[in-house]
Amino acid sequence: MAEVTGPEAKTRVLRPLTRPAGWGYTLTVGGLVAIFGWSLYAWSRQIQTGLGVTGLNVPVFWGVYIINFVFFIGISHAGTLISSILRITDTPWRRPFTRLAEAITVFSLPFGALSVIVDLGRPDRLLHVVRYPHFTSAILWDVVCISTYLITSCLYFYLALVPDIALCRDRLPETPAWRKRLYRTLALGWQGTPVQWRTLDRLLTGMSIFLFALVVSVHTNVSFVFGMTLKPGWHTTIISPFFVLGAIYSGVATVIVLAALFRRLYRLEDLMTEAHFRSCAKFLLALCCFWLYAMIVEHLFVFYGKETAELRILEAKFWGPYAPLFWTMVACCFGIPFTVLAVPRWRTIRNLVVIGLVIDVGMWLERYTIIVPSGAYPYLPWGVGTYRPSWVEVSVTAGWLAGFLALILLFARLFPVLTVWEVREELGEARFSLGAPVPAGTVDMAGASPSPWIPPLGGRGSPTGAGQSPSLATDASLQRFRPSFVSKMRQT
């Protein structure tokens, strides 16, 4: 990382956007779109014939759709955690991961919300939440929280993207005309002036604090949908923090997988170093241990409670029909990750990718073992229910996952997958030069701009006057910025 300069970093991040899409990319995106199209066909069959084409039955009313809802909402928490919460604490290793984390949030949330609509059977029933709101219903507040979370996350994602869109507008002259218009429109006239940086810094900091509170409330409300339902197994006092912790755990694992993928595809080894991944691995190890603690406590509550209905579910998960899924989940969420992450020399990027995929599978199984057994063993003397997902549910699940990945790949063809201004900040460059207008003839995508300071602080909107170097900025002008920012600028 140390041998890469700011202009080189900028060029490396932007270079993949100038290359034509290869056959591998085209086939992959085409295949994902085809799978997503098949899922829409399966959904249309369900709308035509009803929920009878699914494996849902009496008494198992919730199945794969609700599992997908909790899973996609869970991985969406990665963006809030890595980009906003770690931004507040100024954690340095987050910088290569922030853009992908924010993209995961924005592109996974719609599929989480869609899963609920599919589970309704008739999509028009969603309007009942608006036409006949019931303020004591957790579902109403869930809709409010998720809608607010989606809108706020999109706005946060876009604001952090604006400087890099301006960079694409100024540094990618060979792109097609429609992309130039897209960059010019979305850049909102960004010139990288001190006033604009200060405004952006305040907006992102304020929204980071708001998102921190929002993300906790979103998954807490998701847990309320379970905890306020008369089903055994969902009433432990730790269920809400357990849900939030599991969401963050799966979100960080997903970020690691996608970050390693784009690091390899876009040749970003010098910007997303093994040191970044090792730091992320330590964080993942801490989450792994917290997850085990929460899981043990939750089941201890059930064991000491000695309630008959609760114990039936516990037995079904420990050594009954759901034991294979439950212990596979434990192995995927704790056994395998802890074994690898606890040994420093095993924290290689390849191992982290495998661990990330294993954790995602484990967290999906965790949702399965939370939702399905509680439906199969109800309080009423109904007998034991069974559930087996149908081809429609499997198709919709595969389609939602394919749609999510396709959106990520399409985004990566149009916009930088790294937050360039944050990476350059890590390399020791002040923000004033990032995204600023470039004099004609100074752009060189094969290498870099000949001047790392384009222009100096004396550019448009500068409080210090034309031609003044950033290092000569007055103390009065620096007082308007955060101390950490001023310290970094002085160092450069």
Side-chain angles (χ1 to χ4, degrees):
M1 187 79 173
E3 64 272 13
V4 180
T5 64
E8 290 173 348
K10 181 172 54 184
T11 301
R12 292 189 188 188
V13 174
L14 295 182
R15 186 177 295 149
L17 305 182
T18 64
R19 296 173 178 168
W23 62 269
Y25 174 85
T26 304
L27 286 179
T28 302
V29 173
L32 293 173
V33 171
I35 295 174
F36 181 69
W38 172 258
S39 70
L40 293 180
Y41 166 74
W43 186 15
S44 69
R45 291 287 300 164
Q46 176 182 303
I47 294 175
Q48 291 173 1
T49 58
L51 286 172
V53 297
T54 69
L56 300 175
N57 57 79
V58 180
V60 185
F61 301 106
W62 285 356
V64 165
Y65 296 147
I66 299 301
I67 296 169
N68 293 338
F69 160 66
V70 181
F71 178 76
F72 278 111
I73 296 295
I75 63 174
S76 73
H77 285 42
T80 306
L81 175 78
I82 292 181
S83 183
S84 65
I85 297 177
L86 298 185
R87 187 192 299 274
I88 296 173
T89 57
D90 202 19
T91 305
W93 57 262
R94 67 173 163 80
R95 291 188 175 95
F97 305 114
T98 53
R99 176 64 46 74
L100 282 173
E102 294 161 3
I104 289 172
T105 297
V106 171
F107 296 136
S108 64
L109 271 175
F111 292 103
L114 272 176
S115 297
V116 177
I117 297 175
V118 176
D119 185 72
L120 291 175
R122 284 172 40 193
D124 59 293
R125 288 177 176 170
L126 183 66
L127 296 177
H128 293 351
V129 179
V130 180
R131 296 173 61 187
Y132 312 106
H134 200 299
F135 293 101
T136 60
S137 169
I139 294 179
L140 173 63
W141 294 110
D142 219 25
V143 172
V144 172
C145 285
I146 292 175
S147 302
T148 307
Y149 185 38
L150 178 61
I151 295 171
T152 310
S153 297
C154 289
L155 183 59
Y156 183 84
F157 176 59
Y158 176 59
L159 286 176
L161 190 60
V162 166
D164 289 348
I165 296 175
L167 201 62
C168 295
R169 176 200 60 194
D170 298 334
R171 306 299 174 104
L172 300 179
E174 303 301 327
T175 53
W178 68 269
R179 284 179 64 173
K180 291 179 183 176
R181 286 195 297 272
L182 178 69
Y183 293 144
R184 189 166 53 249
T185 303
L186 295 180
L188 300 177
W190 177 271
Q191 297 297 330
T193 65
V195 174
Q196 290 177 332
W197 278 118
R198 185 174 64 253
T199 304
L200 180 66
D201 192 58
R202 288 177 176 175
L203 284 173
L204 292 181
T205 302
M207 292 188 69
S208 297
I209 298 171
F210 176 71
L211 277 170
F212 175 68
L214 189 60
V215 72
V216 175
S217 68
V218 167
H219 229 64
T220 300
N221 270 278
V222 172
S223 71
F224 283 176
V225 173
F226 294 87
M228 295 182 181
T229 307
L230 294 178
K231 293 276 188 181
W234 295 347
H235 301 126
T236 56
T237 55
I238 199 174
I239 186 170
S240 293
F242 193 22
F243 264 56
V244 174
L245 176 63
I248 295 173
Y249 190 29
S250 59
V252 173
T254 306
V255 169
I256 289 177
V257 173
L258 290 179
L261 172 67
F262 284 107
R263 178 182 185 267
R264 178 68 178 272
L265 292 177
Y266 286 180
R267 305 297 182 193
L268 299 173
E269 290 85 354
D270 293 332
L271 301 176
M272 305 171 76
T273 65
E274 294 199 8
H276 289 115
F277 282 88
R278 281 196 296 270
S279 298
C280 204
K282 294 176 184 175
F283 185 58
L284 199 63
L285 176 61
L287 291 173
C288 178
C289 296
F290 283 126
W291 178 88
L292 179 69
Y293 164 76
M295 198 273 291
I296 291 175
V297 169
E298 185 188 56
H299 289 88
L300 274 179
F301 283 161
V302 175
F303 177 75
Y304 280 104
K306 300 295 183 183
E307 187 178 345
T308 303
E310 302 271 358
L311 286 179
R312 290 175 66 199
I313 296 176
L314 193 68
E315 292 172 357
K317 289 199 289 188
F318 275 29
W319 46 76
Y322 296 97
L325 293 177
F326 179 80
W327 292 112
T328 301
M329 178 269 293
V330 174
C332 291
C333 291
F334 178 77
I336 299 174
F338 182 82
T339 303
V340 175
L341 296 174
V343 182
R345 70 174 183 277
W346 289 353
R347 296 172 190 162
T348 62
I349 295 178
R350 180 175 298 178
N351 287 347
L352 289 178
V353 171
V354 176
I355 290 301
L357 292 173
V358 167
I359 290 173
D360 278 339
V361 171
M363 292 308 299
W364 193 90
L365 290 176
E366 187 210 45
R367 271 70 174 192
Y368 190 98
T369 56
I370 288 175
I371 293 172
V372 175
S374 293
Y377 294 85
Y379 281 120
L380 295 174
W382 202 291
V384 179
T386 59
Y387 171 72
R388 187 182 297 275
S390 70
W391 72 269
V392 174
E393 292 167 287
V394 174
S395 298
V396 170
T397 301
W400 275 200
L401 183 60
F404 165 69
L405 294 175
L407 287 177
I408 292 284
L409 291 176
L410 290 173
F411 167 79
R413 285 294 305 164
L414 294 176
F415 302 100
V417 295
L418 294 184
T419 309
V420 179
W421 55 275
E422 283 197 319
V423 171
R424 295 186 68 187
E425 189 180 74
E426 184 177 2
L427 293 170
E429 292 195 32
R431 296 177 184 175
F432 294 130
S433 65
L434 310 181
V438 184
T442 59
V443 177
D444 180 14
M445 284 308 301
S449 170
S451 172
W453 293 94
I454 307 173
L457 192 58
R460 188 184 307 178
S462 168
T464 59
Q468 188 173 4
S469 167
S471 60
L472 299 179
T474 63
D475 288 342
S477 65
L478 296 179
Q479 288 175 359
R480 291 178 294 182
F481 300 93
R482 290 191 305 177
S484 60
F485 180 19
V486 174
S487 174
K488 290 170 186 171
M489 200 185 76
R490 288 186 187 282
Q491 292 174 5
T492 60

